Structures are given as C-alpha cells and as structure tokens.
Amino acid sequence: MDASAWDLRYTEQPQPFGRTPNATLVAALAGLRPGRAIDLACGDGRHAAWLADRGWQVDAVDFSAAAIEAARAAGQEEDHRTERIRWYVDDALSWDPPTRVDLVLVAYLQVERLDLALGRARTWLAPGGRLVYLGHARENLAYGVGGPRDAEVLPTPTSLAAALDGMQIETLHHVVRATGAGDAYDVLAVAGEFEG
C-alpha cells in the first residue's frame, strides 16, 4: 500500500471514518491520565483530536499528506488542538518520535510486519506507558465484514500476543463492531512494560 492511494481516498471522501473516535478506543483510553501520546498511522486525526480534547500532547503521524492536511484544517477550528497536536507526514514503519511518551496508539494499521511496527513502538514508551492497538481481525475473512481481504495484514489475538511478548498484557481480545453491512471483528490489545 502506498501513500498515493490513501491521498486519493482522503481527497475523494473527506473524513471516510467519521469525526468521532472509535468507541472501543474511547473505552480503553478513558481511564488513562493525560500525558504525551503518539497516534501512529493517525489518518485524518480523529483519535489525535479526541486525545487533545482531553488534555494530551499528541504527535500524530501518517504517510498520507492529504489526511494530515485534512487533520490540520479540522484542528484549526479548535485553538487548543493546534497547541496540543504536532502533525507529521511520515511512514509509520520508519518514523521516530522526538521523546518518550505515556501512550502509543495504533488504530487500524494493517501491515504485513505489524510485529516490527509494534516492536519499535514499545521502545517509545516512558516508564508506566501504555501501547494500545486496535485493528481489523483476521477472523473478518470468515465471519465478519470490512477491512482488508488479505490475511497477511490482519492480526489475530495469537499474533498480537507474540508481537507483544515480554510486555505486561492488560487486555487482548476480539471486539464485535456493528456496521451497516453487518458485524465486523476487531482485535484490541493494551500492554505496558513490566516495572521491576
């Protein structure tokens, strides 16, 4: 997948996923104390905006320049978001943050080497930080709707457990998400480093 396909999508259909954050992520993140966060593969910034509205300082990264431009434009409507979000047009698989953070959010990053992306992301966490992943699950191929139709980019709870090996896993399970076309199956993982 290259950035030009996503640029076209965000240009032809602004806010293709809506303006509101994913309800599963809202529930997973609501109890966390605001600090510094990364929204990796942020798309047009709906989760970064939600975090900023709750007091987080956010570095939001996506390889689609059109998505980042849309996110910046939406953020200009809210002065506090402009101060709390730094936008980066960059590849989620090679970008490095300027500092360690309290939260790395990875929502619907569907790539073949997700384990490598999550392995890099965990090194960005400050002590006590959390890594939160939500994505289309491989089980959609047999039971659900939506998401990519390529098994290589669809994680399972087992593959996520392997990618997070050595971390303290707080949550790892399927989530059923109702859509107009039927139920979609996502997989949610929340993990932090063990503290000794």
Side-chain angles (χ1 to χ4, degrees):
M1 177 74 59
D2 67 72
S4 62
W6 283 100
D7 284 341
L8 183 62
R9 182 171 187 177
Y10 282 109
T11 301
E12 290 180 345
Q13 184 186 2
Q15 299 172 336
F17 308 107
R19 293 192 79 162
T20 58
N22 178 283
T24 298
L25 289 177
V26 168
L29 301 172
L32 298 180
R33 188 170 156 168
R36 292 210 56 82
I38 293 170
D39 184 358
L40 193 64
C42 67
D44 59 4
R46 65 187 172 133
H47 297 117
W50 183 84
L51 288 166
D53 286 347
R54 275 135 196 89
W56 291 83
Q57 296 291 320
V58 185
D59 289 330
V61 185
D62 201 277
F63 72 167
S64 169
I68 294 295
E69 184 55 38
R72 280 190 178 121
Q76 289 173 357
E77 301 168 8
E78 307 282 344
D79 287 341
H80 65 277
R81 286 187 191 161
T82 303
E83 297 169 2
R84 291 190 180 141
I85 305 174
R86 292 185 294 194
W87 302 102
Y88 297 88
V89 177
D90 213 322
D91 189 328
L93 302 179
S94 59
W95 178 81
D96 283 309
T99 186
R100 290 184 179 261
V101 296
D102 306 296
L103 169 67
V104 178
L105 171 61
V106 185
Y108 298 101
L109 176 62
Q110 310 288 160
V111 293
E112 284 189 19
R113 293 307 312 264
L114 182 61
D115 59 330
L116 294 180
L118 296 180
R120 293 182 76 243
R122 73 188 281 184
T123 68
W124 305 337
L125 293 174
R130 295 290 176 274
L131 173 61
V132 177
Y133 176 84
L134 179 68
H136 300 288
R138 189 171 302 163
E139 287 73 15
N140 272 329
L141 295 177
Y143 308 109
V145 299
R149 306 316 289 169
D150 177 1
E152 296 299 314
V153 302
L154 295 167
T156 65
T158 302
S159 69
L160 279 176
L164 301 173
D165 186 42
M167 296 186 81
Q168 183 175 356
I169 297 175
E170 299 171 12
T171 300
L172 179 55
H173 61 85
H174 284 109
V175 177
V176 179
R177 180 172 41 88
T179 76
D183 287 341
Y185 290 88
D186 292 342
V187 61
L188 172 69
V190 179
E193 295 294 351
F194 283 98
E195 295 181 50

